[in-house]
Amino acid sequence: MPVFDYAPAPESRAIANLKDHYKPFINGEFVDGSGEPLKTINPATEEVLAEVGTASVSDVDIAVKAARKAYHTVWSKMPGSERAKYLFRIARLIQERSRELAVLESLDNGKPIKESRDSDVPTAAAHFFYHAGWADKLDYAGYGPNPRPLGVAGQIIPWNFPLLMLAWKIAPALATGNTVVLKPAETTPLTALVFAEICRQAELPPGVVNILPGAGDIGASLVEHSDVDKIAFTGSTDVGKLIQRQVAGTAKKLTLELGGKAANIVFEDAPLDQAVEGIVNGIFFNQGHVCCAGSRLLVQESVAEEVLDKLKTRMATLRIGDPLDKNTDIGAINSAEQLAKIRELSEIGEAEGAGRWSPPCELPDRGFWFPPTLFTGVSQAHRIAREEIFGPVLSVLTFRTPAEAVEKANNTPYGLSAGVWTEKGSRILWMASRLRAGVVWANTFNKFDPASPFGGYQESGYGREGGRHGLEAYLSPHGTAK
Ligand code: NDP
């Protein structure tokens, strides 16, 4: 089938209002951090976007003190109905500045503008709207009367959904009366610092939100700080384990949202064209930099050939290139390190005997790029079936019976998400009750809603984000807060 040639439709980068310098945000002010400044680059071109001041360990202490003061003097005392007004304001300001945020996110992260514009930024605003609604109803959240905030939350987020992960962390913390010190990822600090401007625009009291760009050591010193009451982390399982060890034996509460190796399971009775769209969305959305990505396709043997044919045809239509082009489906890999990891695991897949396939596609000369790739003939022992690749790489396995599908899907140390494609409602329920995954999507994939709790089992972490359940991570039911 011929593929249409689309004329370029680039979004203007001027909308991002990119500045030469960005600074850490402490106690309501942009301050010169005493860490070594970093340069953040556009992964699609490798050009430097801006210089960003970073925090040092002493800045962590200053930020935690500011957050503690704001907690005691203003935020924990404020009625929920008043806190809600700030969250509503922030949500509205995210909407007002949505184009700017979307373009900036695509520049700094490499994701296609259609995803930052239609998914990341609106979902971030939705989290603030949703949690604004909870702020004055916490007595009815099921955690007893008058649940109390915990105090100061230290929050560490990754680079795959920079603004959205910030919203997942900050919105519930503020709604429940906690104050925040947040560290964005080193490679994607910019939208978090525009969010800091939004906090100022919303006239959020100083110290309620503090944002500290910096490397992993700043995250570690936030975790170690003795006056932090709660740590919320999203990122790799390895760092999650380190944090768990650091927090063990302290009174700090901890939630961990870590990696995944989700099974996307297609039965022979599934609507196959729809399933193929779900497979593509499951693994190629955000270049596969998604903790809940459907990176293991389990397809029933009787339809495996047909599904693979359809999938290859569909993959050949994916457009890779300029993240700011509105027609782009797959953007740039976020960093040279991540690209090296994807390449290495893909080479291991080939060396272990799996069949590698990518559609013919031209990759830009500069920047970090990887074509959409699938591996067939994958066995459960292969590393590409067991390890999180965190890139646009799909491992295809087959099964014969529902019981075999469950066994293979659960044969992983992770347990974040799964997908089931079938026309039988009874089979969906049968599968969902047996799959060890925090989220099971049926006849769809990668659907996110602030009202729906998200989180994992086993090495995918613990605690839930979103929904009523997500509030629990920031509340003390027995009034034991500092
Ligand atoms: P990391 O887990 O290293 O990074 C996540 C966040 O933690 C970043 O802000 C990072 O800072 C910070 N951090 C790093 N070390 C520490 C530490 N010792 N204590 C506290 N905070 C720390 O993930 P990577 O970016 O290195 O990605 C590596 C792999 O992790 C990916 O290939 C992927 O498999 C997985 N991953 C999973 C994610 C998920 O959503 N579950 C998200 C991102 C990655 P800095 O950015 O400065 O290093």
Side-chain angles (χ1 to χ4, degrees), residues 156-160 183-186 214-216 219-220 223 233-236 239 242-243 246 257-259 291 338 341 388 390:
I156 300 161
I157 56 170
W159 44 262
N160 53 343
K183 190 199 93 65
E186 213 177 336
V223 173
F233 172 79
T234 297
S236 62
V239 173
L242 265 178
I243 291 177
Q246 272 177 284
E257 205 270 87
L258 309 176
C291 46
Q338 190 60 29
K341 183 182 163 191
E388 187 176 42
F390 225 61

PDB file of all heavy atoms in Angstrom, residues 156-160 183-186 214-216 219-220 223 233-236 239 242-243 246 257-259 291 338 341 388 390, ligand 1:
ATOM      1  N   ILE A 156      11.151  12.568  43.166  1.00  0.00           N
ATOM      2  CA  ILE A 156      12.194  12.413  42.143  1.00  0.00           C
ATOM      3  C   ILE A 156      11.552  11.802  40.916  1.00  0.00           C
ATOM      4  O   ILE A 156      10.906  10.752  41.000  1.00  0.00           O
ATOM      5  CB  ILE A 156      13.319  11.504  42.683  1.00  0.00           C
ATOM      6  CG1 ILE A 156      13.924  12.138  43.943  1.00  0.00           C
ATOM      7  CG2 ILE A 156      14.396  11.283  41.618  1.00  0.00           C
ATOM      8  CD1 ILE A 156      14.692  11.184  44.799  1.00  0.00           C
ATOM      9  N   ILE A 157      11.733  12.479  39.772  1.00  0.00           N
ATOM     10  CA  ILE A 157      11.022  12.020  38.572  1.00  0.00           C
ATOM     11  C   ILE A 157      11.986  11.767  37.410  1.00  0.00           C
ATOM     12  O   ILE A 157      13.086  12.324  37.375  1.00  0.00           O
ATOM     13  CB  ILE A 157       9.908  13.028  38.157  1.00  0.00           C
ATOM     14  CG1 ILE A 157      10.476  14.435  37.943  1.00  0.00           C
ATOM     15  CG2 ILE A 157       8.791  13.038  39.187  1.00  0.00           C
ATOM     16  CD1 ILE A 157       9.494  15.398  37.314  1.00  0.00           C
ATOM     17  N   PRO A 158      11.558  10.956  36.449  1.00  0.00           N
ATOM     18  CA  PRO A 158      12.412  10.595  35.316  1.00  0.00           C
ATOM     19  C   PRO A 158      12.179  11.517  34.121  1.00  0.00           C
ATOM     20  O   PRO A 158      11.399  12.469  34.189  1.00  0.00           O
ATOM     21  CB  PRO A 158      11.969   9.178  34.997  1.00  0.00           C
ATOM     22  CG  PRO A 158      10.511   9.182  35.308  1.00  0.00           C
ATOM     23  CD  PRO A 158      10.300  10.168  36.420  1.00  0.00           C
ATOM     24  N   TRP A 159      12.810  11.146  33.009  1.00  0.00           N
ATOM     25  CA  TRP A 159      12.816  12.008  31.829  1.00  0.00           C
ATOM     26  C   TRP A 159      11.762  11.636  30.787  1.00  0.00           C
ATOM     27  O   TRP A 159      11.637  12.318  29.780  1.00  0.00           O
ATOM     28  CB  TRP A 159      14.208  11.953  31.171  1.00  0.00           C
ATOM     29  CG  TRP A 159      14.770  10.563  31.061  1.00  0.00           C
ATOM     30  CD1 TRP A 159      15.663  10.001  31.934  1.00  0.00           C
ATOM     31  CD2 TRP A 159      14.468   9.565  30.085  1.00  0.00           C
ATOM     32  NE1 TRP A 159      15.932   8.699  31.548  1.00  0.00           N
ATOM     33  CE2 TRP A 159      15.214   8.411  30.414  1.00  0.00           C
ATOM     34  CE3 TRP A 159      13.642   9.524  28.954  1.00  0.00           C
ATOM     35  CZ2 TRP A 159      15.159   7.232  29.662  1.00  0.00           C
ATOM     36  CZ3 TRP A 159      13.589   8.356  28.209  1.00  0.00           C
ATOM     37  CH2 TRP A 159      14.340   7.227  28.569  1.00  0.00           C
ATOM     38  N   ASN A 160      11.030  10.546  31.003  1.00  0.00           N
ATOM     39  CA  ASN A 160      10.162  10.095  29.896  1.00  0.00           C
ATOM     40  C   ASN A 160       8.871  10.904  29.760  1.00  0.00           C
ATOM     41  O   ASN A 160       8.380  11.095  28.651  1.00  0.00           O
ATOM     42  CB  ASN A 160       9.888   8.588  29.988  1.00  0.00           C
ATOM     43  CG  ASN A 160       9.362   8.151  31.327  1.00  0.00           C
ATOM     44  OD1 ASN A 160       9.470   8.885  32.305  1.00  0.00           O
ATOM     45  ND2 ASN A 160       8.800   6.972  31.382  1.00  0.00           N
ATOM     46  N   LYS A 183      12.883  16.910  42.368  1.00  0.00           N
ATOM     47  CA  LYS A 183      14.050  16.908  41.477  1.00  0.00           C
ATOM     48  C   LYS A 183      13.662  16.322  40.123  1.00  0.00           C
ATOM     49  O   LYS A 183      13.338  15.143  40.012  1.00  0.00           O
ATOM     50  CB  LYS A 183      15.192  16.066  42.051  1.00  0.00           C
ATOM     51  CG  LYS A 183      16.471  16.279  41.249  1.00  0.00           C
ATOM     52  CD  LYS A 183      17.491  15.209  41.440  1.00  0.00           C
ATOM     53  CE  LYS A 183      17.417  14.109  40.426  1.00  0.00           C
ATOM     54  NZ  LYS A 183      17.712  14.504  39.031  1.00  0.00           N
ATOM     55  N   PRO A 184      13.717  17.155  39.064  1.00  0.00           N
ATOM     56  CA  PRO A 184      13.457  16.615  37.725  1.00  0.00           C
ATOM     57  C   PRO A 184      14.683  15.857  37.222  1.00  0.00           C
ATOM     58  O   PRO A 184      15.758  15.949  37.811  1.00  0.00           O
ATOM     59  CB  PRO A 184      13.209  17.867  36.873  1.00  0.00           C
ATOM     60  CG  PRO A 184      13.852  18.999  37.602  1.00  0.00           C
ATOM     61  CD  PRO A 184      13.994  18.605  39.051  1.00  0.00           C
ATOM     62  N   ALA A 185      14.527  15.131  36.124  1.00  0.00           N
ATOM     63  CA  ALA A 185      15.667  14.393  35.565  1.00  0.00           C
ATOM     64  C   ALA A 185      16.657  15.372  34.941  1.00  0.00           C
ATOM     65  O   ALA A 185      16.282  16.436  34.437  1.00  0.00           O
ATOM     66  CB  ALA A 185      15.183  13.391  34.534  1.00  0.00           C
ATOM     67  N   GLU A 186      17.908  14.966  34.963  1.00  0.00           N
ATOM     68  CA  GLU A 186      18.991  15.819  34.468  1.00  0.00           C
ATOM     69  C   GLU A 186      18.788  16.209  33.001  1.00  0.00           C
ATOM     70  O   GLU A 186      19.123  17.321  32.602  1.00  0.00           O
ATOM     71  CB  GLU A 186      20.274  14.994  34.588  1.00  0.00           C
ATOM     72  CG  GLU A 186      21.492  15.757  34.893  1.00  0.00           C
ATOM     73  CD  GLU A 186      22.674  14.797  35.062  1.00  0.00           C
ATOM     74  OE1 GLU A 186      22.469  13.611  35.387  1.00  0.00           O
ATOM     75  OE2 GLU A 186      23.791  15.264  34.852  1.00  0.00           O
ATOM     76  N   GLY A 214      19.248  18.906  38.922  1.00  0.00           N
ATOM     77  CA  GLY A 214      20.532  18.355  39.356  1.00  0.00           C
ATOM     78  C   GLY A 214      20.627  16.903  38.954  1.00  0.00           C
ATOM     79  O   GLY A 214      19.690  16.346  38.395  1.00  0.00           O
ATOM     80  N   ALA A 215      21.756  16.301  39.267  1.00  0.00           N
ATOM     81  CA  ALA A 215      21.970  14.903  38.892  1.00  0.00           C
ATOM     82  C   ALA A 215      21.470  13.979  40.004  1.00  0.00           C
ATOM     83  O   ALA A 215      20.867  14.422  40.986  1.00  0.00           O
ATOM     84  CB  ALA A 215      23.449  14.686  38.604  1.00  0.00           C
ATOM     85  N   GLY A 216      21.771  12.684  39.824  1.00  0.00           N
ATOM     86  CA  GLY A 216      21.281  11.676  40.763  1.00  0.00           C
ATOM     87  C   GLY A 216      21.701  11.934  42.205  1.00  0.00           C
ATOM     88  O   GLY A 216      20.977  11.607  43.136  1.00  0.00           O
ATOM     89  N   GLY A 219      19.178  13.864  43.994  1.00  0.00           N
ATOM     90  CA  GLY A 219      18.067  12.968  44.370  1.00  0.00           C
ATOM     91  C   GLY A 219      18.432  12.192  45.618  1.00  0.00           C
ATOM     92  O   GLY A 219      17.636  12.097  46.567  1.00  0.00           O
ATOM     93  N   ALA A 220      19.665  11.670  45.656  1.00  0.00           N
ATOM     94  CA  ALA A 220      20.087  10.862  46.805  1.00  0.00           C
ATOM     95  C   ALA A 220      20.116  11.707  48.078  1.00  0.00           C
ATOM     96  O   ALA A 220      19.691  11.248  49.144  1.00  0.00           O
ATOM     97  CB  ALA A 220      21.456  10.247  46.530  1.00  0.00           C
ATOM     98  N   VAL A 223      16.682  12.151  49.372  1.00  0.00           N
ATOM     99  CA  VAL A 223      16.204  10.928  50.033  1.00  0.00           C
ATOM    100  C   VAL A 223      16.787  10.835  51.449  1.00  0.00           C
ATOM    101  O   VAL A 223      16.113  10.438  52.396  1.00  0.00           O
ATOM    102  CB  VAL A 223      16.603   9.675  49.214  1.00  0.00           C
ATOM    103  CG1 VAL A 223      16.261   8.396  49.962  1.00  0.00           C
ATOM    104  CG2 VAL A 223      15.934   9.690  47.844  1.00  0.00           C
ATOM    105  N   PHE A 233       9.166   8.259  44.226  1.00  0.00           N
ATOM    106  CA  PHE A 233      10.168   8.097  43.173  1.00  0.00           C
ATOM    107  C   PHE A 233       9.564   7.386  41.971  1.00  0.00           C
ATOM    108  O   PHE A 233       8.871   6.377  42.117  1.00  0.00           O
ATOM    109  CB  PHE A 233      11.356   7.281  43.702  1.00  0.00           C
ATOM    110  CG  PHE A 233      12.357   6.889  42.642  1.00  0.00           C
ATOM    111  CD1 PHE A 233      13.295   7.804  42.184  1.00  0.00           C
ATOM    112  CD2 PHE A 233      12.345   5.618  42.084  1.00  0.00           C
ATOM    113  CE1 PHE A 233      14.215   7.449  41.196  1.00  0.00           C
ATOM    114  CE2 PHE A 233      13.265   5.254  41.095  1.00  0.00           C
ATOM    115  CZ  PHE A 233      14.199   6.176  40.652  1.00  0.00           C
ATOM    116  N   THR A 234       9.835   7.893  40.781  1.00  0.00           N
ATOM    117  CA  THR A 234       9.568   7.147  39.546  1.00  0.00           C
ATOM    118  C   THR A 234      10.874   7.063  38.780  1.00  0.00           C
ATOM    119  O   THR A 234      11.556   8.070  38.585  1.00  0.00           O
ATOM    120  CB  THR A 234       8.505   7.856  38.682  1.00  0.00           C
ATOM    121  OG1 THR A 234       7.281   7.899  39.413  1.00  0.00           O
ATOM    122  CG2 THR A 234       8.256   7.097  37.381  1.00  0.00           C
ATOM    123  N   GLY A 235      11.224   5.855  38.347  1.00  0.00           N
ATOM    124  CA  GLY A 235      12.467   5.681  37.601  1.00  0.00           C
ATOM    125  C   GLY A 235      12.829   4.216  37.521  1.00  0.00           C
ATOM    126  O   GLY A 235      11.956   3.342  37.561  1.00  0.00           O
ATOM    127  N   SER A 236      14.122   3.951  37.449  1.00  0.00           N
ATOM    128  CA  SER A 236      14.565   2.571  37.222  1.00  0.00           C
ATOM    129  C   SER A 236      14.446   1.734  38.496  1.00  0.00           C
ATOM    130  O   SER A 236      14.518   2.258  39.616  1.00  0.00           O
ATOM    131  CB  SER A 236      16.014   2.579  36.747  1.00  0.00           C
ATOM    132  OG  SER A 236      16.831   3.134  37.747  1.00  0.00           O
ATOM    133  N   VAL A 239      17.647   2.060  40.812  1.00  0.00           N
ATOM    134  CA  VAL A 239      17.685   3.228  41.716  1.00  0.00           C
ATOM    135  C   VAL A 239      16.581   3.093  42.772  1.00  0.00           C
ATOM    136  O   VAL A 239      16.785   3.438  43.939  1.00  0.00           O
ATOM    137  CB  VAL A 239      17.584   4.555  40.926  1.00  0.00           C
ATOM    138  CG1 VAL A 239      17.463   5.735  41.876  1.00  0.00           C
ATOM    139  CG2 VAL A 239      18.811   4.738  40.039  1.00  0.00           C
ATOM    140  N   LEU A 242      17.950   1.101  45.532  1.00  0.00           N
ATOM    141  CA  LEU A 242      18.889   1.901  46.328  1.00  0.00           C
ATOM    142  C   LEU A 242      18.134   2.783  47.321  1.00  0.00           C
ATOM    143  O   LEU A 242      18.494   2.868  48.502  1.00  0.00           O
ATOM    144  CB  LEU A 242      19.655   2.849  45.399  1.00  0.00           C
ATOM    145  CG  LEU A 242      21.008   2.468  44.844  1.00  0.00           C
ATOM    146  CD1 LEU A 242      21.504   3.580  43.916  1.00  0.00           C
ATOM    147  CD2 LEU A 242      21.977   2.287  45.996  1.00  0.00           C
ATOM    148  N   ILE A 243      17.092   3.431  46.811  1.00  0.00           N
ATOM    149  CA  ILE A 243      16.307   4.342  47.651  1.00  0.00           C
ATOM    150  C   ILE A 243      15.632   3.565  48.781  1.00  0.00           C
ATOM    151  O   ILE A 243      15.610   4.005  49.935  1.00  0.00           O
ATOM    152  CB  ILE A 243      15.276   5.109  46.789  1.00  0.00           C
ATOM    153  CG1 ILE A 243      16.019   6.087  45.870  1.00  0.00           C
ATOM    154  CG2 ILE A 243      14.259   5.834  47.650  1.00  0.00           C
ATOM    155  CD1 ILE A 243      15.142   6.855  44.906  1.00  0.00           C
ATOM    156  N   GLN A 246      18.062   3.098  51.408  1.00  0.00           N
ATOM    157  CA  GLN A 246      18.348   4.334  52.152  1.00  0.00           C
ATOM    158  C   GLN A 246      17.239   4.656  53.147  1.00  0.00           C
ATOM    159  O   GLN A 246      17.496   5.172  54.223  1.00  0.00           O
ATOM    160  CB  GLN A 246      18.455   5.510  51.173  1.00  0.00           C
ATOM    161  CG  GLN A 246      19.826   5.733  50.589  1.00  0.00           C
ATOM    162  CD  GLN A 246      19.759   6.880  49.595  1.00  0.00           C
ATOM    163  OE1 GLN A 246      19.277   6.715  48.486  1.00  0.00           O
ATOM    164  NE2 GLN A 246      20.226   8.040  50.003  1.00  0.00           N
ATOM    165  N   GLU A 257       7.576   3.867  41.818  1.00  0.00           N
ATOM    166  CA  GLU A 257       6.962   3.489  40.543  1.00  0.00           C
ATOM    167  C   GLU A 257       8.112   3.190  39.603  1.00  0.00           C
ATOM    168  O   GLU A 257       8.809   4.096  39.164  1.00  0.00           O
ATOM    169  CB  GLU A 257       6.080   4.646  40.058  1.00  0.00           C
ATOM    170  CG  GLU A 257       4.976   4.203  39.139  1.00  0.00           C
ATOM    171  CD  GLU A 257       5.427   4.222  37.696  1.00  0.00           C
ATOM    172  OE1 GLU A 257       6.008   3.192  37.258  1.00  0.00           O
ATOM    173  OE2 GLU A 257       5.219   5.241  37.037  1.00  0.00           O
ATOM    174  N   LEU A 258       8.350   1.896  39.341  1.00  0.00           N
ATOM    175  CA  LEU A 258       9.601   1.493  38.698  1.00  0.00           C
ATOM    176  C   LEU A 258       9.348   0.937  37.296  1.00  0.00           C
ATOM    177  O   LEU A 258       8.426   1.362  36.625  1.00  0.00           O
ATOM    178  CB  LEU A 258      10.322   0.492  39.609  1.00  0.00           C
ATOM    179  CG  LEU A 258      10.474   0.976  41.072  1.00  0.00           C
ATOM    180  CD1 LEU A 258      11.092  -0.091  41.949  1.00  0.00           C
ATOM    181  CD2 LEU A 258      11.272   2.265  41.152  1.00  0.00           C
ATOM    182  N   GLY A 259      10.167   0.017  36.891  1.00  0.00           N
ATOM    183  CA  GLY A 259      10.106  -0.441  35.500  1.00  0.00           C
ATOM    184  C   GLY A 259       9.001  -1.444  35.237  1.00  0.00           C
ATOM    185  O   GLY A 259       8.202  -1.772  36.110  1.00  0.00           O
ATOM    186  N   CYS A 291       7.059   3.184  31.202  1.00  0.00           N
ATOM    187  CA  CYS A 291       7.260   2.079  32.152  1.00  0.00           C
ATOM    188  C   CYS A 291       6.231   0.979  31.946  1.00  0.00           C
ATOM    189  O   CYS A 291       6.509  -0.187  32.193  1.00  0.00           O
ATOM    190  CB  CYS A 291       7.213   2.609  33.576  1.00  0.00           C
ATOM    191  SG  CYS A 291       5.854   3.717  33.862  1.00  0.00           S
ATOM    192  N   GLN A 338      20.649   6.380  26.617  1.00  0.00           N
ATOM    193  CA  GLN A 338      19.485   5.512  26.419  1.00  0.00           C
ATOM    194  C   GLN A 338      19.561   4.824  25.061  1.00  0.00           C
ATOM    195  O   GLN A 338      19.240   3.648  24.929  1.00  0.00           O
ATOM    196  CB  GLN A 338      18.191   6.330  26.557  1.00  0.00           C
ATOM    197  CG  GLN A 338      16.941   5.484  26.604  1.00  0.00           C
ATOM    198  CD  GLN A 338      16.924   4.495  27.766  1.00  0.00           C
ATOM    199  OE1 GLN A 338      17.518   4.742  28.809  1.00  0.00           O
ATOM    200  NE2 GLN A 338      16.279   3.362  27.572  1.00  0.00           N
ATOM    201  N   LYS A 341      21.821   1.931  25.249  1.00  0.00           N
ATOM    202  CA  LYS A 341      21.201   0.790  25.954  1.00  0.00           C
ATOM    203  C   LYS A 341      20.247   0.033  25.018  1.00  0.00           C
ATOM    204  O   LYS A 341      20.233  -1.200  24.992  1.00  0.00           O
ATOM    205  CB  LYS A 341      20.451   1.323  27.185  1.00  0.00           C
ATOM    206  CG  LYS A 341      19.862   0.214  28.003  1.00  0.00           C
ATOM    207  CD  LYS A 341      19.067   0.715  29.188  1.00  0.00           C
ATOM    208  CE  LYS A 341      18.181  -0.430  29.669  1.00  0.00           C
ATOM    209  NZ  LYS A 341      17.194  -0.021  30.631  1.00  0.00           N
ATOM    210  N   GLU A 388      13.846  -4.673  30.670  1.00  0.00           N
ATOM    211  CA  GLU A 388      13.187  -3.475  30.151  1.00  0.00           C
ATOM    212  C   GLU A 388      14.139  -2.792  29.169  1.00  0.00           C
ATOM    213  O   GLU A 388      15.243  -2.390  29.538  1.00  0.00           O
ATOM    214  CB  GLU A 388      12.876  -2.537  31.320  1.00  0.00           C
ATOM    215  CG  GLU A 388      12.045  -1.358  30.929  1.00  0.00           C
ATOM    216  CD  GLU A 388      11.673  -0.482  32.117  1.00  0.00           C
ATOM    217  OE1 GLU A 388      12.536  -0.234  32.972  1.00  0.00           O
ATOM    218  OE2 GLU A 388      10.513  -0.049  32.176  1.00  0.00           O
ATOM    219  N   PHE A 390      13.097  -0.115  27.187  1.00  0.00           N
ATOM    220  CA  PHE A 390      12.747   1.310  27.278  1.00  0.00           C
ATOM    221  C   PHE A 390      13.038   2.019  25.960  1.00  0.00           C
ATOM    222  O   PHE A 390      13.659   3.081  25.909  1.00  0.00           O
ATOM    223  CB  PHE A 390      13.492   1.974  28.439  1.00  0.00           C
ATOM    224  CG  PHE A 390      12.614   2.868  29.271  1.00  0.00           C
ATOM    225  CD1 PHE A 390      11.509   2.365  29.937  1.00  0.00           C
ATOM    226  CD2 PHE A 390      12.874   4.235  29.393  1.00  0.00           C
ATOM    227  CE1 PHE A 390      10.691   3.178  30.713  1.00  0.00           C
ATOM    228  CE2 PHE A 390      12.068   5.060  30.157  1.00  0.00           C
ATOM    229  CZ  PHE A 390      10.984   4.533  30.819  1.00  0.00           C
TER     230      PHE A 390
HETATM  231  P1  NDP B   1      17.037   6.604  36.891  1.00  0.00           P
HETATM  232  O1  NDP B   1      16.268   5.707  37.769  1.00  0.00           O
HETATM  233  O2  NDP B   1      18.507   6.681  37.070  1.00  0.00           O
HETATM  234  O3  NDP B   1      16.502   8.103  37.004  1.00  0.00           O
HETATM  235  C1  NDP B   1      15.265   8.495  37.535  1.00  0.00           C
HETATM  236  C2  NDP B   1      15.444   9.735  38.428  1.00  0.00           C
HETATM  237  O4  NDP B   1      16.199   9.393  39.593  1.00  0.00           O
HETATM  238  C3  NDP B   1      16.217  10.873  37.768  1.00  0.00           C
HETATM  239  O5  NDP B   1      15.734  12.104  38.236  1.00  0.00           O
HETATM  240  C4  NDP B   1      17.632  10.612  38.268  1.00  0.00           C
HETATM  241  O6  NDP B   1      18.456  11.726  38.191  1.00  0.00           O
HETATM  242  C5  NDP B   1      17.345  10.220  39.705  1.00  0.00           C
HETATM  243  N1  NDP B   1      18.404   9.457  40.358  1.00  0.00           N
HETATM  244  C6  NDP B   1      19.458   8.791  39.791  1.00  0.00           C
HETATM  245  N2  NDP B   1      20.194   8.190  40.753  1.00  0.00           N
HETATM  246  C7  NDP B   1      19.599   8.470  41.936  1.00  0.00           C
HETATM  247  C8  NDP B   1      19.882   8.128  43.301  1.00  0.00           C
HETATM  248  N3  NDP B   1      20.911   7.350  43.625  1.00  0.00           N
HETATM  249  N4  NDP B   1      19.052   8.572  44.265  1.00  0.00           N
HETATM  250  C9  NDP B   1      17.988   9.337  43.961  1.00  0.00           C
HETATM  251  N5  NDP B   1      17.678   9.717  42.694  1.00  0.00           N
HETATM  252  C10 NDP B   1      18.464   9.271  41.693  1.00  0.00           C
HETATM  253  O7  NDP B   1      16.711   6.224  35.410  1.00  0.00           O
HETATM  254  P2  NDP B   1      17.593   6.540  34.116  1.00  0.00           P
HETATM  255  O8  NDP B   1      17.225   7.864  33.642  1.00  0.00           O
HETATM  256  O9  NDP B   1      19.054   6.298  34.353  1.00  0.00           O
HETATM  257  O10 NDP B   1      17.080   5.412  33.136  1.00  0.00           O
HETATM  258  C11 NDP B   1      17.655   4.104  33.206  1.00  0.00           C
HETATM  259  C12 NDP B   1      16.606   3.049  32.966  1.00  0.00           C
HETATM  260  O11 NDP B   1      15.581   3.153  33.931  1.00  0.00           O
HETATM  261  C13 NDP B   1      15.863   3.188  31.641  1.00  0.00           C
HETATM  262  O12 NDP B   1      16.567   2.602  30.613  1.00  0.00           O
HETATM  263  C14 NDP B   1      14.579   2.488  31.955  1.00  0.00           C
HETATM  264  O13 NDP B   1      14.747   1.110  31.789  1.00  0.00           O
HETATM  265  C15 NDP B   1      14.338   2.809  33.398  1.00  0.00           C
HETATM  266  N6  NDP B   1      13.424   3.947  33.599  1.00  0.00           N
HETATM  267  C16 NDP B   1      12.162   3.694  34.025  1.00  0.00           C
HETATM  268  C17 NDP B   1      11.284   4.733  34.182  1.00  0.00           C
HETATM  269  C18 NDP B   1       9.891   4.520  34.623  1.00  0.00           C
HETATM  270  O14 NDP B   1       9.034   5.334  34.334  1.00  0.00           O
HETATM  271  N7  NDP B   1       9.621   3.487  35.375  1.00  0.00           N
HETATM  272  C19 NDP B   1      11.635   6.102  33.866  1.00  0.00           C
HETATM  273  C20 NDP B   1      13.016   6.280  33.476  1.00  0.00           C
HETATM  274  C21 NDP B   1      13.832   5.226  33.344  1.00  0.00           C
HETATM  275  P3  NDP B   1      19.289  11.967  36.830  1.00  0.00           P
HETATM  276  O15 NDP B   1      18.294  12.184  35.757  1.00  0.00           O
HETATM  277  O16 NDP B   1      20.053  13.179  37.075  1.00  0.00           O
HETATM  278  O17 NDP B   1      20.129  10.747  36.634  1.00  0.00           O
END
